[in-house]
Amino acid sequence: MNYEANPCQDYESITIDELKERTSSLLNLVTEGQRPLRVCMNNGKEFLLCPQDLLAPICDADFRLILLSAMRYAMGRNTYMPAVVSDYIKRHIRFLDDKFLALAADDIRRHLEDYAEHEPNPNLWQGLFDALETGQSARATRQARKSRFCPACGKPLDVISITDNQHSPGGFDVIAHCQNCHSDYEWFCDKDGGTSDMKKYFFG
Ligand SMILES: [Zn+2]
């Protein structure tokens, strides 16, 4: 199996002592039975208590390649597969990694450039391409979209514009507005999410 990293390492962990008494018997049930347990909370949310191994097939780095193969197979075909593959990727786009998004978008772009006139579903692939691009830019600007507080009144600012910084690859110039003071501020956000001091911004 081809793990890039432990897929669960970012999750908060608790010791068995921190769990309530009943929980340990439930955990035993889950680990011994290798079957997840649905946990329903009072607020209507649900989570699964499951052995980590259960996620192995999709946390496997080869999963990305298998999905790309399915997409390459489906392009140019006039069967039900293009819709199956495209809908699946759109449905789960937030769980697919940056590398997949970049590779898949690149494949579709080249396919549409080279075989556009033979492609039976150009709109379907263009739609998926657009979804991948939107997903990529949403991730790229995720750090820059983080709100900061108005230096004058302390209210959270609304980010109104994020543009590529011409001098710093991966960095953005951010402009934000304070609803309370009706002032605008600008700052620079580097590719790692570090931000410069705020300056008052004047349009025009
Ligand atoms: Zn303000």
Side-chain angles (χ1 to χ4, degrees):
M1 229 175 260
N2 184 6
Y3 286 110
E4 285 188 330
N6 178 346
C8 299
Q9 68 188 358
D10 293 339
Y11 298 159
E12 206 173 329
S13 68
I14 51 169
T15 66
I16 199 76
D17 292 333
E18 289 170 297
L19 289 168
K20 290 178 187 165
E21 209 172 313
R22 172 137 172 76
T23 314
S24 71
S25 65
L26 292 175
L27 283 174
N28 282 337
L29 199 73
V30 167
T31 38
E32 281 162 22
Q34 289 283 305
R35 273 168 61 96
L37 197 65
R38 270 168 70 196
V39 183
C40 305
M41 291 159 72
N42 290 335
N43 61 9
K45 290 193 174 163
E46 282 187 11
F47 62 94
L48 278 185
L49 206 56
C50 70
Q52 192 177 311
D53 292 350
L54 203 81
L55 293 174
I58 52 165
C59 294
D60 192 313
D62 288 343
F63 178 68
R64 179 202 295 141
L65 296 175
I66 289 167
L67 212 51
L68 280 174
S69 308
M71 201 187 76
R72 286 171 190 156
Y73 168 86
M75 285 192 294
R77 282 177 200 265
N78 202 10
T79 62
Y80 61 92
M81 275 312 281
V84 169
V85 173
S86 163
D87 290 349
Y88 180 91
I89 293 172
K90 283 182 180 173
R91 221 165 34 238
H92 301 300
I93 200 158
R94 66 203 169 102
F95 299 113
L96 301 169
D97 65 10
D98 295 356
K99 201 164 166 183
F100 174 84
L101 264 53
L103 289 170
D106 204 44
D107 271 12
I108 298 172
R109 186 183 46 74
R110 272 184 291 160
H111 172 75
L112 289 177
E113 274 169 16
D114 298 345
Y115 302 103
E117 67 272 32
H118 305 296
E119 172 53 57
N121 304 295
N123 293 339
L124 179 141
W125 296 112
Q126 186 61 51
L128 179 57
F129 179 82
D130 294 343
L132 291 163
E133 291 265 279
T134 305
Q136 279 181 295
S137 70
R139 289 180 195 191
T141 59
R142 184 170 35 201
Q143 301 280 11
R145 275 184 287 121
K146 270 191 197 146
S147 177
R148 296 176 78 182
F149 296 98
C150 174
C153 73
K155 294 252 160 58
L157 297 169
D158 296 332
V159 172
I160 52 174
S161 150
I162 298 172
T163 47
D164 291 326
N165 181 282
Q166 300 304 317
H167 309 290
S168 172
F172 297 99
D173 293 315
V174 182
I175 300 172
H177 179 74
C178 177
Q179 300 273 10
N180 193 40
C181 310
H182 304 289
S183 328
D184 297 301
Y185 294 92
E186 65 177 329
W187 64 85
F188 168 71
C189 177
D190 68 28
K191 62 176 169 32
D192 302 315
T195 49
S196 69
D197 287 343
M198 276 187 230
K199 282 189 298 185
K200 217 159 184 179
Y201 178 81
F202 299 98
F203 281 97

